[in-house]
Coordinates of all heavy atoms in Angstrom, one line a residue:
M1 N -7.1 24.1 17.0 CA -5.7 24.1 16.5 C -5.7 23.8 15.0 O -6.3 22.9 14.6 CB -4.9 23.2 17.3 CG -3.5 23.1 16.8 SD -2.5 21.8 17.7 CE -2.6 22.4 19.3
T2 N -4.9 24.5 14.3 CA -4.7 24.3 12.9 C -3.8 23.1 12.7 O -2.7 23.0 13.2 CB -4.1 25.5 12.2 OG1 -4.9 26.6 12.5 CG2 -3.9 25.3 10.7
P3 N -4.2 22.1 11.8 CA -3.3 20.9 11.6 C -2.0 21.4 10.9 O -2.0 22.3 10.1 CB -4.1 20.1 10.6 CG -5.5 20.5 10.7 CD -5.4 22.0 11.2
R4 N -0.9 20.8 11.3 CA 0.4 21.1 10.7 C 0.9 20.0 9.8 O 0.8 18.8 10.2 CB 1.4 21.3 11.9 CG 1.0 22.5 12.7 CD 2.0 22.7 13.8 NE 3.3 22.9 13.3 CZ 4.4 23.1 14.1 NH1 4.3 23.1 15.4 NH2 5.6 23.2 13.5
P5 N 1.3 20.3 8.6 CA 1.8 19.3 7.7 C 3.2 18.7 8.1 O 4.0 19.5 8.7 CB 1.9 20.0 6.3 CG 2.1 21.4 6.7 CD 1.4 21.6 8.0
Y6 N 3.5 17.5 7.8 CA 4.8 16.9 8.1 C 5.1 16.0 6.9 O 4.2 15.3 6.3 CB 4.8 16.2 9.4 CG 3.9 15.0 9.6 CD1 4.3 13.8 9.2 CD2 2.6 15.2 10.1 CE1 3.4 12.7 9.3 CE2 1.7 14.2 10.2 CZ 2.1 12.9 9.8 OH 1.3 11.9 9.9
A7 N 6.4 15.9 6.6 CA 6.8 15.0 5.5 C 7.1 13.6 6.0 O 7.6 13.4 7.1 CB 8.1 15.5 4.9
I8 N 6.7 12.6 5.2 CA 6.9 11.2 5.6 C 8.0 10.6 4.7 O 9.0 10.1 5.2 CB 5.6 10.4 5.4 CG1 4.6 10.9 6.4 CG2 5.9 8.9 5.7 CD1 3.2 10.2 6.2
D9 N 7.9 10.8 3.4 CA 8.8 10.2 2.5 C 8.7 10.8 1.1 O 7.6 11.5 0.8 CB 8.4 8.7 2.3 CG 9.4 7.9 1.5 OD1 10.6 8.3 1.4 OD2 9.1 6.9 1.0
H10 N 9.7 10.7 0.3 CA 9.6 11.1 -1.1 C 10.5 10.1 -1.9 O 11.4 9.6 -1.4 CB 10.0 12.5 -1.4 CG 11.4 12.8 -1.2 ND1 12.0 12.9 0.1 CD2 12.4 12.9 -2.1 CE1 13.3 13.1 -0.1 NE2 13.6 13.1 -1.4
Q11 N 10.1 9.9 -3.2 CA 10.8 9.0 -4.1 C 10.8 9.6 -5.5 O 9.8 10.3 -5.9 CB 10.2 7.6 -4.2 CG 10.2 6.8 -2.9 CD 9.4 5.5 -3.0 OE1 8.4 5.4 -3.8 NE2 9.9 4.5 -2.3
S12 N 11.8 9.3 -6.2 CA 11.9 9.7 -7.6 C 12.5 8.6 -8.4 O 13.5 8.0 -8.0 CB 12.8 11.0 -7.7 OG 13.0 11.3 -9.1
D13 N 11.8 8.2 -9.5 CA 12.3 7.1 -10.3 C 12.0 7.2 -11.7 O 11.1 8.0 -12.1 CB 11.9 5.7 -9.7 CG 10.4 5.6 -9.7 OD1 9.7 6.5 -10.0 OD2 10.0 4.4 -9.4
A14 N 12.7 6.4 -12.6 CA 12.3 6.2 -14.0 C 11.3 5.2 -14.0 O 11.4 4.1 -13.5 CB 13.6 5.8 -14.8
A15 N 10.1 5.4 -14.7 CA 9.0 4.6 -14.6 C 8.4 4.1 -15.9 O 7.3 3.5 -16.0 CB 7.9 5.3 -13.8
G16 N 9.1 4.2 -17.0 CA 8.6 3.7 -18.3 C 8.5 2.2 -18.3 O 9.3 1.5 -17.7
R17 N 7.5 1.7 -19.0 CA 7.3 0.3 -19.1 C 8.4 -0.4 -19.9 O 8.9 -1.5 -19.5 CB 5.9 -0.1 -19.6 CG 4.8 0.0 -18.6 CD 3.5 -0.4 -19.2 NE 3.0 0.7 -19.9 CZ 1.8 0.8 -20.5 NH1 1.0 -0.3 -20.4 NH2 1.4 1.8 -21.2
V18 N 8.6 0.1 -21.1 CA 9.6 -0.6 -21.9 C 11.0 0.1 -21.8 O 12.0 -0.5 -21.5 CB 9.2 -0.5 -23.4 CG1 10.2 -1.1 -24.3 CG2 7.8 -1.2 -23.6
I19 N 11.0 1.4 -22.0 CA 12.3 2.2 -21.8 C 12.1 3.0 -20.5 O 11.4 4.0 -20.5 CB 12.5 3.1 -23.0 CG1 12.6 2.2 -24.3 CG2 13.8 3.9 -22.8 CD1 12.6 3.1 -25.6
K20 N 12.8 2.6 -19.5 CA 12.7 3.2 -18.2 C 12.8 4.7 -18.2 O 12.1 5.5 -17.5 CB 13.7 2.6 -17.2 CG 13.4 1.2 -16.8 CD 12.1 1.1 -16.1 CE 11.9 -0.4 -15.7 NZ 10.5 -0.6 -15.1
A21 N 13.8 5.3 -19.0 CA 14.0 6.7 -19.0 C 13.0 7.5 -19.7 O 13.0 8.7 -19.7 CB 15.4 7.0 -19.6
S22 N 12.0 6.8 -20.3 CA 11.0 7.6 -21.1 C 9.9 8.2 -20.3 O 9.0 8.9 -20.7 CB 10.3 6.6 -22.2 OG 9.6 5.6 -21.5
K23 N 9.8 7.8 -19.0 CA 8.8 8.4 -18.1 C 9.4 8.6 -16.7 O 10.2 7.7 -16.2 CB 7.6 7.4 -18.0 CG 6.4 8.0 -17.3 CD 5.2 7.0 -17.4 CE 4.0 7.6 -16.8 NZ 2.9 6.6 -16.8
R24 N 9.0 9.6 -16.1 CA 9.5 9.9 -14.7 C 8.4 10.0 -13.7 O 7.3 10.3 -14.1 CB 10.2 11.3 -14.7 CG 11.3 11.5 -15.8 CD 12.6 11.0 -15.3 NE 13.6 10.9 -16.4 CZ 14.1 12.0 -17.1 NH1 13.8 13.2 -16.8 NH2 15.0 11.7 -18.1
R25 N 8.7 9.6 -12.5 CA 7.6 9.6 -11.5 C 8.2 10.1 -10.2 O 9.3 9.7 -9.8 CB 7.1 8.2 -11.3 CG 6.0 8.2 -10.2 CD 5.3 6.9 -10.1 NE 6.2 5.8 -10.1 CZ 6.0 4.6 -10.7 NH1 4.9 4.4 -11.4 NH2 6.9 3.7 -10.7
V26 N 7.5 11.1 -9.5 CA 7.9 11.6 -8.2 C 6.8 11.4 -7.3 O 5.6 11.7 -7.6 CB 8.3 13.1 -8.3 CG1 8.7 13.6 -6.9 CG2 9.4 13.3 -9.3
L27 N 7.0 10.8 -6.1 CA 6.0 10.4 -5.2 C 6.3 11.2 -3.8 O 7.5 11.1 -3.4 CB 6.0 8.9 -4.9 CG 5.0 8.4 -3.9 CD1 4.3 7.2 -4.5 CD2 5.8 8.0 -2.7
F28 N 5.3 11.8 -3.3 CA 5.4 12.5 -2.0 C 4.4 11.9 -1.0 O 3.3 11.8 -1.4 CB 5.1 14.0 -2.2 CG 6.0 14.7 -3.1 CD1 5.6 15.0 -4.4 CD2 7.2 15.2 -2.7 CE1 6.4 15.6 -5.3 CE2 8.1 15.9 -3.6 CZ 7.7 16.1 -4.9
R29 N 4.9 11.5 0.1 CA 4.0 11.1 1.2 C 4.1 12.1 2.3 O 5.2 12.5 2.8 CB 4.4 9.7 1.7 CG 4.1 8.6 0.7 CD 4.6 7.2 1.1 NE 4.7 7.0 2.6 CZ 3.9 6.3 3.3 NH1 2.9 5.6 2.7 NH2 4.1 6.1 4.6
F30 N 2.9 12.6 2.8 CA 2.9 13.6 3.9 C 1.6 13.4 4.7 O 0.8 12.6 4.4 CB 2.9 15.0 3.3 CG 1.7 15.3 2.5 CD1 0.7 16.0 3.1 CD2 1.6 15.0 1.1 CE1 -0.5 16.3 2.3 CE2 0.5 15.3 0.4 CZ -0.6 15.9 1.0
G31 N 1.6 14.0 5.8 CA 0.4 13.9 6.7 C 0.2 15.3 7.4 O 0.9 16.2 7.2
F32 N -0.9 15.3 8.2 CA -1.2 16.5 9.0 C -1.3 16.0 10.4 O -1.9 15.1 10.8 CB -2.6 17.0 8.5 CG -2.5 17.6 7.2 CD1 -3.0 16.9 6.1 CD2 -2.0 18.9 7.0 CE1 -2.9 17.5 4.8 CE2 -1.9 19.5 5.7 CZ -2.4 18.7 4.6
S33 N -0.6 16.8 11.3 CA -0.6 16.5 12.7 C -1.5 17.4 13.5 O -1.6 18.6 13.2 CB 0.9 16.6 13.2 OG 0.9 16.5 14.6
S34 N -2.2 16.8 14.4 CA -3.0 17.7 15.3 C -2.4 17.9 16.6 O -2.9 18.6 17.4 CB -4.4 17.0 15.5 OG -4.2 15.7 16.1
S35 N -1.1 17.4 16.8 CA -0.4 17.6 18.0 C 0.2 19.0 18.0 O 0.6 19.5 17.0 CB 0.6 16.6 18.3 OG 1.6 16.6 17.3
A36 N 0.4 19.6 19.2 CA 0.9 21.0 19.3 C 2.4 21.1 18.8 O 2.8 22.1 18.2 CB 0.9 21.4 20.7
D37 N 3.2 20.0 18.9 CA 4.6 20.0 18.5 C 4.8 19.6 17.0 O 5.9 19.5 16.6 CB 5.4 19.2 19.4 CG 5.0 17.8 19.5 OD1 4.1 17.4 18.7 OD2 5.6 17.0 20.3
G38 N 3.7 19.2 16.3 CA 3.8 18.9 14.9 C 4.3 17.5 14.6 O 4.7 17.2 13.5
R39 N 4.4 16.6 15.7 CA 4.8 15.3 15.4 C 3.8 14.5 14.7 O 2.6 14.8 14.6 CB 5.1 14.6 16.8 CG 6.4 15.1 17.4 CD 6.7 14.3 18.7 NE 5.6 14.4 19.6 CZ 5.5 13.8 20.8 NH1 6.4 13.0 21.1 NH2 4.5 14.0 21.6
R40 N 4.3 13.4 14.1 CA 3.4 12.5 13.3 C 2.3 12.0 14.1 O 2.4 11.6 15.3 CB 4.3 11.3 12.8 CG 3.6 10.4 11.9 CD 4.5 9.4 11.3 NE 3.8 8.5 10.5 CZ 4.4 7.6 9.7 NH1 5.7 7.5 9.7 NH2 3.7 6.8 8.9
C41 N 1.1 12.0 13.5 CA -0.1 11.6 14.2 C -0.3 10.1 14.0 O 0.0 9.5 12.9 CB -1.3 12.4 13.6 SG -2.9 12.1 14.4
A42 N -0.9 9.4 14.9 CA -1.2 8.0 14.8 C -2.4 7.7 13.9 O -2.6 6.5 13.5 CB -1.4 7.4 16.2
V43 N -3.2 8.6 13.6 CA -4.4 8.4 12.7 C -3.9 8.4 11.3 O -3.5 9.4 10.7 CB -5.4 9.5 13.0 CG1 -6.6 9.3 12.1 CG2 -5.8 9.6 14.4
L44 N -4.1 7.2 10.6 CA -3.6 7.0 9.3 C -4.4 7.8 8.2 O -3.9 8.0 7.1 CB -3.5 5.5 8.9 CG -2.5 4.7 9.7 CD1 -2.6 3.3 9.3 CD2 -1.1 5.3 9.5
E45 N -5.6 8.1 8.5 CA -6.5 8.8 7.6 C -5.9 10.2 7.3 O -6.3 10.9 6.3 CB -7.9 9.0 8.1 CG -8.7 7.7 8.1 CD -8.5 7.0 9.5 OE1 -8.5 7.6 10.5 OE2 -8.2 5.8 9.4
D46 N -5.0 10.7 8.1 CA -4.4 12.0 7.9 C -3.2 12.0 7.0 O -2.5 13.0 6.8 CB -4.1 12.7 9.2 CG -5.3 13.2 10.0 OD1 -6.4 13.3 9.3 OD2 -5.2 13.5 11.2
E47 N -2.8 10.8 6.5 CA -1.6 10.7 5.7 C -2.1 10.6 4.2 O -3.1 9.9 3.9 CB -0.8 9.5 6.1 CG -0.2 9.7 7.5 CD 0.7 8.6 7.9 OE1 0.9 7.6 7.1 OE2 1.3 8.7 9.0
H48 N -1.3 11.2 3.3 CA -1.7 11.3 1.9 C -0.5 11.0 1.0 O 0.7 11.2 1.4 CB -2.2 12.6 1.6 CG -3.4 13.0 2.4 ND1 -4.7 12.5 2.2 CD2 -3.5 13.8 3.6 CE1 -5.5 13.0 3.1 NE2 -4.8 13.7 3.9
V49 N -0.7 10.6 -0.2 CA 0.3 10.3 -1.2 C -0.1 11.2 -2.5 O -1.2 11.1 -3.0 CB 0.4 8.8 -1.6 CG1 1.4 8.6 -2.7 CG2 0.7 8.0 -0.4
V50 N 0.9 12.0 -2.9 CA 0.7 12.7 -4.2 C 1.8 12.2 -5.2 O 3.0 12.1 -4.8 CB 0.9 14.2 -3.9 CG1 0.9 15.0 -5.2 CG2 -0.2 14.7 -3.0
T51 N 1.4 11.9 -6.4 CA 2.3 11.4 -7.4 C 2.2 12.2 -8.7 O 1.1 12.5 -9.1 CB 1.9 9.9 -7.8 OG1 1.8 9.1 -6.6 CG2 2.9 9.3 -8.7
L52 N 3.4 12.6 -9.1 CA 3.5 13.3 -10.4 C 4.2 12.4 -11.4 O 5.3 12.0 -11.1 CB 4.3 14.6 -10.3 CG 4.6 15.4 -11.5 CD1 3.4 15.8 -12.3 CD2 5.5 16.5 -11.3
S53 N 3.6 12.1 -12.5 CA 4.2 11.2 -13.5 C 4.2 12.0 -14.8 O 3.2 12.7 -15.2 CB 3.3 10.0 -13.8 OG 3.2 9.2 -12.6
W54 N 5.3 12.0 -15.5 CA 5.4 12.8 -16.8 C 6.4 12.2 -17.7 O 7.3 11.4 -17.3 CB 5.7 14.2 -16.5 CG 7.2 14.6 -16.3 CD1 8.1 15.0 -17.2 CD2 7.9 14.5 -15.1 NE1 9.3 15.2 -16.6 CE2 9.2 14.9 -15.3 CE3 7.5 14.1 -13.8 CZ2 10.2 15.0 -14.3 CZ3 8.5 14.2 -12.8 CH2 9.8 14.6 -13.1
S55 N 6.2 12.5 -19.0 CA 7.1 12.0 -20.1 C 7.9 13.2 -20.6 O 7.3 14.2 -21.1 CB 6.2 11.4 -21.2 OG 7.1 11.3 -22.3
P56 N 9.2 13.2 -20.4 CA 10.0 14.3 -21.0 C 9.9 14.4 -22.5 O 10.1 15.4 -23.1 CB 11.4 14.0 -20.5 CG 11.3 12.9 -19.5 CD 10.0 12.2 -19.7
T57 N 9.6 13.3 -23.1 CA 9.5 13.2 -24.6 C 8.3 13.9 -25.1 O 8.3 14.8 -26.0 CB 9.6 11.8 -25.1 OG1 10.7 11.1 -24.5 CG2 9.6 11.7 -26.6
S58 N 7.1 13.5 -24.6 CA 5.8 14.0 -25.1 C 5.3 15.2 -24.4 O 4.5 15.9 -24.9 CB 4.8 12.9 -25.1 OG 4.4 12.6 -23.7
G59 N 5.8 15.4 -23.1 CA 5.3 16.5 -22.3 C 4.0 16.1 -21.6 O 3.5 17.0 -20.8
K60 N 3.5 14.9 -21.7 CA 2.3 14.5 -21.0 C 2.6 14.4 -19.5 O 3.7 13.9 -19.1 CB 1.7 13.2 -21.5 CG 1.2 13.3 -22.9 CD 0.7 12.0 -23.4 CE 0.3 12.0 -24.9 NZ -0.1 10.7 -25.4
A61 N 1.7 14.8 -18.7 CA 1.9 14.7 -17.2 C 0.5 14.4 -16.5 O -0.5 14.8 -17.0 CB 2.4 16.0 -16.7
V62 N 0.6 13.6 -15.5 CA -0.5 13.3 -14.6 C -0.2 13.5 -13.2 O 0.8 13.1 -12.7 CB -0.9 11.8 -14.8 CG1 -2.1 11.4 -13.9 CG2 -1.3 11.5 -16.3
L63 N -1.1 14.2 -12.5 CA -1.0 14.5 -11.1 C -2.1 13.7 -10.4 O -3.2 13.8 -10.7 CB -1.1 16.0 -10.8 CG -0.9 16.4 -9.3 CD1 0.5 16.1 -8.9 CD2 -1.2 17.9 -9.2
A64 N -1.7 12.9 -9.4 CA -2.7 12.0 -8.7 C -2.5 12.3 -7.2 O -1.4 12.5 -6.7 CB -2.5 10.6 -9.0
A65 N -3.6 12.3 -6.5 CA -3.6 12.4 -5.0 C -4.4 11.2 -4.4 O -5.5 10.9 -4.8 CB -4.3 13.7 -4.6
D66 N -3.7 10.5 -3.6 CA -4.3 9.3 -3.0 C -4.8 8.3 -4.0 O -5.9 7.7 -3.8 CB -5.4 9.7 -1.9 CG -4.8 10.4 -0.8 OD1 -3.6 10.2 -0.4 OD2 -5.5 11.3 -0.2
G67 N -4.1 8.1 -5.1 CA -4.5 7.2 -6.2 C -5.5 7.7 -7.1 O -5.9 7.0 -8.1
R68 N -6.0 8.9 -7.0 CA -7.0 9.5 -7.9 C -6.4 10.6 -8.7 O -5.8 11.5 -8.2 CB -8.1 10.1 -7.0 CG -9.5 9.6 -7.3 CD -10.6 10.2 -6.5 NE -10.9 11.5 -7.1 CZ -11.3 12.6 -6.4 NH1 -11.3 12.6 -5.1 NH2 -11.6 13.7 -7.1
E69 N -6.6 10.4 -10.1 CA -6.0 11.5 -11.0 C -6.8 12.8 -10.7 O -8.0 12.8 -10.8 CB -6.2 11.0 -12.4 CG -5.3 9.9 -12.8 CD -5.4 9.5 -14.3 OE1 -6.3 10.1 -15.0 OE2 -4.7 8.6 -14.7
I70 N -6.0 13.8 -10.5 CA -6.7 15.1 -10.3 C -6.3 16.1 -11.3 O -7.0 17.2 -11.5 CB -6.3 15.7 -8.9 CG1 -4.8 15.9 -8.7 CG2 -6.9 14.8 -7.8 CD1 -4.4 16.6 -7.4
H71 N -5.3 15.9 -12.1 CA -5.0 16.8 -13.2 C -4.2 16.0 -14.3 O -3.3 15.2 -14.0 CB -4.2 18.0 -12.7 CG -3.8 19.0 -13.8 ND1 -4.8 19.8 -14.3 CD2 -2.7 19.2 -14.5 CE1 -4.2 20.6 -15.2 NE2 -3.0 20.2 -15.3
M72 N -4.5 16.3 -15.6 CA -3.8 15.8 -16.7 C -3.4 16.9 -17.6 O -4.2 17.8 -17.8 CB -4.6 14.8 -17.5 CG -5.0 13.6 -16.6 SD -6.1 12.5 -17.5 CE -4.9 11.6 -18.6
A73 N -2.2 16.9 -18.2 CA -1.7 18.0 -19.0 C -1.0 17.4 -20.3 O -0.4 16.3 -20.1 CB -0.8 18.9 -18.3
G74 N -1.2 18.0 -21.4 CA -0.5 17.6 -22.6 C -1.1 16.4 -23.3 O -0.5 15.8 -24.1
F75 N -2.4 16.1 -23.1 CA -3.1 15.0 -23.7 C -3.9 15.4 -24.9 O -4.7 14.6 -25.4 CB -3.9 14.2 -22.7 CG -3.1 13.4 -21.8 CD1 -2.6 13.9 -20.6 CD2 -2.9 12.0 -22.1 CE1 -1.8 13.1 -19.8 CE2 -2.1 11.2 -21.3 CZ -1.6 11.7 -20.1
A76 N -3.8 16.6 -25.4 CA -4.5 17.1 -26.6 C -4.0 16.3 -27.8 O -2.8 16.0 -27.9 CB -4.4 18.6 -26.8
D77 N -4.9 16.0 -28.7 CA -4.5 15.3 -29.9 C -3.7 16.2 -30.8 O -4.1 17.3 -31.2 CB -5.8 14.9 -30.7 CG -5.5 14.0 -31.9 OD1 -4.3 13.6 -32.0 OD2 -6.4 13.8 -32.7
T78 N -2.4 15.8 -31.0 CA -1.5 16.5 -31.8 C -1.4 16.0 -33.2 O -0.5 16.4 -34.0 CB -0.1 16.6 -31.1 OG1 0.3 15.2 -31.0 CG2 -0.2 17.2 -29.8
G79 N -2.2 15.0 -33.6 CA -2.1 14.4 -34.9 C -1.0 13.4 -35.1 O -0.7 13.1 -36.2
G80 N -0.4 13.0 -34.0 CA 0.7 12.1 -34.1 C 0.4 10.6 -34.0 O 1.2 9.8 -33.8
G81 N -0.9 10.2 -34.2 CA -1.3 8.8 -34.2 C -1.8 8.5 -32.8 O -2.9 8.7 -32.5
G82 N -1.0 8.0 -31.9 CA -1.3 7.8 -30.5 C -2.8 7.4 -30.1 O -3.6 7.0 -31.0
S83 N -3.1 7.7 -28.9 CA -4.5 7.3 -28.4 C -5.5 8.5 -28.6 O -6.6 8.3 -28.3 CB -4.4 7.0 -26.9 OG -4.0 8.1 -26.2
G84 N -5.1 9.6 -29.2 CA -6.0 10.7 -29.5 C -6.4 11.5 -28.3 O -7.5 12.1 -28.3
G85 N -5.7 11.5 -27.3 CA -6.0 12.4 -26.1 C -5.7 11.7 -24.8 O -4.6 11.8 -24.3
R86 N -6.7 11.0 -24.3 CA -6.5 10.4 -23.0 C -5.9 9.0 -23.1 O -6.2 8.3 -24.0 CB -7.8 10.4 -22.2 CG -8.4 11.8 -22.0 CD -9.7 11.7 -21.3 NE -9.5 11.2 -19.9 CZ -9.2 11.9 -18.9 NH1 -8.9 13.1 -19.0 NH2 -9.1 11.3 -17.7
K87 N -5.2 8.6 -22.0 CA -4.7 7.3 -22.0 C -5.8 6.3 -21.8 O -6.8 6.6 -21.2 CB -3.6 7.1 -21.0 CG -4.0 7.3 -19.6 CD -2.9 7.1 -18.6 CE -3.3 7.3 -17.2 NZ -2.3 7.1 -16.3
R88 N -5.7 5.1 -22.3 CA -6.8 4.1 -22.2 C -6.5 3.0 -21.3 O -5.4 2.6 -21.1 CB -7.1 3.6 -23.6 CG -7.6 4.7 -24.5 CD -7.9 4.2 -25.8 NE -8.2 5.4 -26.6 CZ -8.6 5.4 -27.8 NH1 -8.7 4.3 -28.5 NH2 -8.9 6.5 -28.5

């Protein structure tokens, strides 16, 4: 049987350290069910968290799955001072 995805939760918030509105974060929690009716499975290893964090000002974005960064965008050095690419 093919595992069926199911939604657990989602959140959206302003996440900037100093100015809250300077960074946005969206969090999705979901899982895969092995039951025929698609109900939530009791096995916690089948549940995952995907987080998208981005800055509307700079355009930088980070996509993470289960706490591991899997994609970064907009971190090229634009000559504006900053960290020169990746966050430190």
Side-chain angles (χ1 to χ4, degrees):
M1 176 185 303
T2 303
R4 296 178 58 180
Y6 61 90
I8 298 172
D9 186 26
H10 71 280
Q11 296 175 327
S12 176
D13 60 352
R17 279 184 279 188
V18 177
I19 301 172
K20 293 292 182 190
S22 69
K23 189 173 184 183
R24 310 268 169 73
R25 180 174 45 219
V26 179
L27 178 134
F28 300 96
R29 287 175 27 108
F30 65 95
F32 292 99
S33 174
S34 57
S35 66
D37 58 5
R39 287 187 298 176
R40 185 174 177 167
C41 185
V43 180
L44 295 178
E45 292 86 44
D46 285 347
E47 294 185 356
H48 303 279
V49 177
V50 173
T51 306
L52 172 63
S53 301
W54 82 96
S55 168
T57 306
S58 70
K60 294 178 182 178
V62 177
L63 182 64
D66 295 328
R68 238 180 82 215
E69 289 181 358
I70 58 173
H71 183 74
M72 297 176 78
F75 282 86
D77 186 11
T78 59
S83 64
R86 297 181 64 87
K87 64 181 183 179
R88 296 179 185 184

